[in-house]
């Protein structure tokens, strides 16, 4: 059992991976949040130039400009992932699982939204943590069976890497979350909660804290005294504990390979784009401004000792920018800012945008100007590469979701034979292209039935999109029935076109030779033709 009180600095200890990636994760999180976070940390993204006056620097900070290219590309990936259907098998209590899938976090987040959040977190931060919990705000549960009797339903929590401070293999994890609490008319308070999850129990420690600009706790209210969070006397007390009875730590982690982590690949390019775009904006606001230049007449050397002369001006002094002062020049004149800098910055922005798209691997066929001139075969190959990448991502998310559901089933005392299917069909063709191909398909009567089955499955997916598992199964059954009848009709047309002497007997060997099907498929068609059986009935007889 974990102790009832613990030093705050122990809860705040960081894993070596956390310290290593912390700066990158914080930058990625700010870029994802967008302009509010960028403006709050403006000096980080727009550092002061050497010798730049404070008032000029503040004007330049006010011109920060940000286009969220990274967020756009990751959103496209996430949208593509959930366009593929997902369904379960091995489910015992369908009503229970239907209710759970409609609100996986006990707050109304459905299954597709949950999968989207997982995939988004993976692409931004390279890893994602999912914890399993039971409602335990009021009473402490001694086991998951006691929670089951209390009519509770497990729910999941998604933790981003910045919220998971420390861990050891799959033995234990420490997470931290800071939230604002207080009554309507009271002064708001910042409450920090650390959850320690082990193979036996889940313990929560809570305390009021003060946070820094990044939202991280720096002081803690310990026994009525405010102390630095790393103070040797700063302690935090346990306010909740329950034994989960899972025999393993109730938190799962999915980590992407380094080369598949899009956020890491592009976030520095996104920062570079932000800085160049801000310089472009600053330069654009300067275009057309008239700059004044004046040089006074240099004094003539004098030798009269009775006259006191002013010292000669220092012509090497630094000049201030942004038209704040008259610049020292060769004479008095007006100078207009050159527009060449704007063109150079525009070219740089275009190059960076192309590099960012390439690194994100979002549009293989559209990362260069020459993409418009690509052949159809080349574009098709590029899109096929994107589909393969989505299948690889989908396989990882599918397996991770299956592990989550099996953990939910174990905590719910349900069957753990549940399996996840789907997240694997990502067509590279559009509906118009597929319908055009359908007309040509009619002229290929000897096309193997399995090929037709796969092709029509892709067409149906484009027509109806994502549907429920029950509807998906019904569509598959109806499609199999239609293709079987089409095969029989084709055979009748072939026989009608021949003379009596030329018409072969419909045999198993003939179907295997002309239709390219297996022996079992040929036997099923023969039984359906001669004994007027349905496909299911024929399969049952053969089995």
């Amino acid at each position: 059992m974990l102790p009832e009180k613990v030093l705050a600095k122990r809860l705040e200890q960081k894993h070596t991976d956390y310290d290593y990636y912390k700066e990158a994760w914080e930058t990625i999180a700010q870029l994802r949040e967008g302009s509010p976070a960028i403006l709050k940390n403006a000096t980080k993204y727009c550092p002061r130039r050497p010798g730049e006056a404070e008032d000029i620097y503040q004007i330049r900070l006010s011109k920060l400009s940000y286009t969220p290219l990274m967020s756009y590309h990751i959103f496209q990936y996430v949208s593509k992932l959930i366009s593929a259907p997902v369904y379960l098998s091995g489910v015992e209590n369908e009503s229970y699982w239907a209710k759970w899938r409609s609100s996986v976090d006990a707050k109304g987040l459905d299954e597709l939204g949950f999968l989207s959040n997982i995939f988004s977190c993976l692409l931004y931060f390279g890893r994602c943590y999912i914890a399993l919990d039971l409602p335990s705000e009021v009473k402490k549960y001694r086991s998951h069976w006691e929670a089951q009797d209390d009519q509770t339903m497990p729910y999941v929590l998604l933790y981003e890497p910045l919220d998971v401070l420390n861990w050891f293999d799959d033995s234990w994890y420490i997470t931290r979350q800071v939230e604002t609490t207080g009554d309507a008319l009271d002064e708001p308070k910042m409450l920090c909660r650390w959850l320690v999850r082990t193979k036996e129990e889940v313990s929560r420690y809570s305390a009021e804290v003060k946070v820094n600009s990044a939202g991280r706790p720096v002081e803690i209210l310990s026994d009525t005294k405010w102390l630095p969070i790393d103070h040797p006397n700063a302690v935090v007390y346990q306010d909740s504990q329950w034994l989960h009875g899972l025999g393993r730590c109730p938190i799962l982690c999915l980590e992407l390979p380094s080369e598949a982590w899009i956020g890491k690949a592009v976030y520095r390019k996104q920062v570079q784009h932000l800085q160049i775009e801000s310089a472009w904006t600053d330069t654009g606001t300067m275009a057309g401004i008239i700059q004044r230049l004046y040089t006074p007449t240099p004094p003539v050397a004098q030798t009269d000792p009775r006259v006191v002369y002013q010292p000669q001006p220092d012509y090497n002094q630094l000049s201030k920018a942004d038209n704040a002062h008259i610049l020292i020049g060769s004479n008095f004149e007006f100078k207009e800012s050159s527009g060449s800098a704007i063109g150079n910055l525009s070219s740089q922005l275009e190059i960076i945008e192309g590099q960012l798209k390439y690194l994100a691997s979002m549009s293989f066929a559209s990362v260069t100007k020459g993409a418009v001139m690509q052949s159809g075969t080349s574009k098709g190959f590029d899109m096929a590469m994107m589909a393969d990448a989505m299948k690889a991502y989908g396989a990882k998310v599918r397996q991770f979701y299956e592990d989550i559901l099996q953990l939910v089933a174990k905590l719910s005392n349900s069957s753990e034979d549940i399996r996840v299917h789907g997240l694997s069909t990502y067509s590279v063709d559009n509906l118009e292209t597929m319908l055009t191909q359908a007309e040509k398909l009619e002229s290929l009567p000897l096309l193997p039935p399995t090929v037709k089955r796969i092709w029509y499955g892709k067409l149906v997916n484009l027509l109806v999109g994502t549907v429920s598992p029950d509807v998906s199964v019904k569509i598959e059954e109806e499609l199999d029935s239609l293709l079987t009848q089409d095969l029989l009709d084709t055979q009748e047309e072939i026989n009608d076109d021949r003379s009596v002497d030329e018409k072969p007997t419909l045999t198993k060997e003939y179907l295997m030779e002309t239709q390219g099907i297996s022996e079992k498929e040929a036997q099923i068609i023969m039984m359906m033709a001669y004994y007027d059986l349905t496909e299911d009935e024929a399969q049952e007889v053969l089995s």
Side-chain angles (χ1 to χ4, degrees):
M1 302 290 289
L2 294 173
E4 292 187 357
K5 68 176 182 178
V6 65
L7 291 176
K9 64 180 182 179
R10 299 300 182 195
L11 294 172
E12 281 292 302
Q13 288 183 132
K14 311 297 192 302
H15 193 277
T16 53
D17 273 8
Y18 188 97
D19 287 332
Y20 183 78
Y21 288 113
K22 179 175 179 291
E23 184 179 353
W25 285 336
E26 287 182 341
T27 301
I28 291 172
Q30 291 166 3
L31 293 173
R32 179 187 60 177
E33 184 177 346
S35 296
I38 298 298
L39 294 176
K40 187 177 181 180
N41 299 274
T43 56
K44 171 182 176 180
Y45 297 100
C46 183
R48 179 184 291 184
R49 296 165 181 163
E52 187 174 22
E54 176 63 23
D55 53 347
I56 305 303
Y57 179 50
Q58 292 300 323
I59 291 175
R60 197 160 59 85
L61 285 179
S62 68
K63 299 177 184 179
L64 271 181
S65 181
Y66 175 61
T67 301
L69 298 175
M70 180 178 70
S71 298
Y72 169 77
H73 290 306
I74 289 180
F75 175 75
Q76 296 299 317
Y77 253 126
V78 174
S79 300
K80 189 69 174 176
L81 177 84
I82 62 174
S83 68
V86 56
Y87 56 95
L88 310 181
S89 65
V91 175
E92 286 185 345
N93 188 342
E94 293 187 0
S95 60
Y96 172 86
W97 284 106
K99 180 179 179 181
W100 187 89
R101 295 170 71 187
S102 66
S103 181
V104 300
D105 65 344
K107 296 180 181 179
L109 180 66
D110 63 8
E111 180 180 71
L112 288 181
F114 178 54
L115 294 175
S116 298
N117 292 345
I118 290 177
F119 192 39
S120 177
C121 183
L122 286 173
L123 295 183
Y124 275 112
F125 302 104
R127 63 183 69 180
C128 177
Y129 300 88
I130 300 297
L132 188 65
D133 273 330
L134 284 171
S136 55
E137 294 292 332
V138 178
K139 61 184 298 185
K140 297 181 179 181
Y141 298 107
R142 293 173 295 179
S143 69
H144 70 284
W145 290 283
E146 182 180 352
Q148 178 83 2
D149 293 339
D150 197 35
Q151 301 297 317
T152 58
M153 181 173 287
Y155 64 93
V156 294
L157 295 169
L158 187 151
Y159 288 103
E160 294 181 349
L162 285 170
D163 298 326
V164 183
L165 305 182
N166 204 358
W167 62 91
F168 178 73
D169 294 336
D170 288 328
S171 299
W172 54 265
Y173 289 84
I174 298 178
T175 62
R176 178 191 64 196
Q177 289 185 308
V178 179
E179 59 185 39
T180 304
T181 63
D183 294 331
L185 301 180
D186 292 340
E187 183 178 353
K189 300 177 181 179
M190 303 300 295
L191 184 66
C192 185
R193 288 173 174 165
W194 294 268
L195 274 85
V196 183
R197 294 176 173 86
T198 69
K199 292 183 177 180
E200 295 81 24
E201 63 178 295
V202 177
S203 293
R204 189 179 71 183
Y205 297 86
S206 302
E208 186 180 346
V209 296
K210 295 179 180 179
V211 299
N212 59 15
S213 59
R216 310 287 179 244
V218 291
E219 292 186 38
I220 184 171
L221 184 61
S222 176
D223 294 328
T224 70
K225 295 181 180 179
W226 284 103
L227 299 173
I229 201 158
D230 58 351
H231 194 278
N233 295 328
V235 296
V236 187
Y237 291 90
Q238 182 187 88
D239 66 356
S240 178
Q241 182 185 51
W242 59 283
L243 304 176
H244 51 72
L246 291 173
R248 59 147 299 158
C249 189
I251 190 168
L252 297 170
C253 173
L254 176 59
E255 185 174 356
L256 288 178
S258 180
E259 63 274 11
W261 179 4
I262 290 181
K264 185 188 71 172
V266 305
Y267 86 96
R268 290 301 304 170
K269 278 293 172 187
Q270 177 67 87
V271 172
Q272 183 186 20
H273 187 275
L274 183 157
Q275 293 172 339
I276 300 297
E277 185 178 18
S278 297
W280 179 81
T281 303
D282 184 38
T283 304
T285 59
M286 291 291 295
I289 292 180
I290 303 300
Q291 180 65 62
R292 299 163 294 165
L293 292 95
Y294 169 69
T295 300
T297 303
V300 180
Q302 300 290 333
T303 58
D304 189 344
R306 296 171 298 176
V307 180
V308 178
Y309 297 96
Q310 296 295 329
Q312 185 173 341
D314 182 6
Y315 294 100
N316 296 319
Q317 64 182 333
L318 294 176
S319 301
K320 296 185 178 182
D322 204 15
N323 200 28
H325 298 77
I326 297 176
L327 301 183
I328 295 177
S330 59
N331 54 11
F332 184 83
E333 60 182 321
F334 293 95
K335 284 285 187 180
E336 185 175 355
S337 301
S338 173
S340 60
I342 298 178
N344 293 335
L345 291 171
S346 299
S347 298
Q348 289 186 47
L349 284 175
E350 188 174 345
I351 293 172
I352 295 171
E353 290 171 5
Q355 291 173 336
L356 198 149
K357 290 179 183 179
Y358 176 78
L359 291 173
S361 300
M362 261 310 307
S363 297
F364 291 95
S366 304
V367 297
T368 63
K369 291 182 178 178
V372 180
M373 302 174 63
Q374 280 183 284
S375 67
T377 302
S378 177
K379 288 184 178 179
F381 180 74
D382 289 336
M383 297 304 294
M385 289 176 60
M386 186 181 72
D388 290 340
M390 289 305 305
K391 289 178 182 178
Y393 282 125
K396 287 186 175 294
V397 174
R398 180 175 64 249
Q399 183 58 55
F400 188 51
Y401 186 42
E402 185 174 294
D403 294 340
I404 295 170
L405 292 178
Q406 290 175 355
L407 201 59
V408 172
K410 188 172 185 178
L411 189 59
S412 306
N413 202 23
S414 304
S415 172
E416 298 177 42
D417 294 331
I418 191 168
R419 294 292 181 269
V420 179
H421 309 275
L423 298 179
S424 58
T425 305
Y426 301 99
S427 177
V428 298
D429 296 313
N430 56 42
L431 182 59
E432 183 179 357
T433 302
M434 294 289 283
L435 291 174
T436 302
Q437 292 177 353
E439 299 177 0
K440 299 179 181 179
L441 196 64
E442 297 298 327
S443 62
L444 300 172
L446 300 182
L447 199 65
T450 304
V451 175
K452 286 188 175 182
R453 173 68 181 82
I454 296 174
W455 189 90
Y456 277 113
K458 292 170 61 178
L459 178 60
V460 170
N461 188 51
L462 286 174
L463 284 170
V464 301
T466 303
V467 295
S468 66
D470 294 339
V471 174
S472 179
V473 171
K474 187 174 182 180
I475 290 175
E476 291 177 1
E477 292 175 351
E478 293 175 349
L479 184 57
D480 288 336
S481 177
L482 290 172
L483 289 175
T484 301
Q485 185 60 45
D486 179 66
L487 181 60
L488 294 175
D489 294 342
T490 300
Q491 180 59 44
E492 291 180 2
E493 292 176 5
I494 293 175
N495 290 339
D496 291 340
D497 292 340
R498 298 178 179 178
S499 63
V500 177
D501 295 335
E502 292 177 335
K503 289 181 181 179
T505 304
L506 184 61
T507 64
K508 177 180 66 176
E509 291 75 13
Y510 177 80
L511 289 173
M512 293 171 60
E513 178 182 356
T514 58
Q515 303 299 323
I517 60 179
S518 66
E519 181 179 0
K520 183 177 181 180
E521 290 174 323
Q523 288 176 328
I524 292 174
I525 293 175
M526 292 288 295
M527 297 182 69
M528 293 172 62
Y530 287 106
Y531 298 103
D532 195 24
L533 299 177
T534 65
E535 183 179 1
D536 291 338
E537 291 171 339
Q539 289 179 343
E540 184 177 355
V541 171
L542 285 178
S543 61

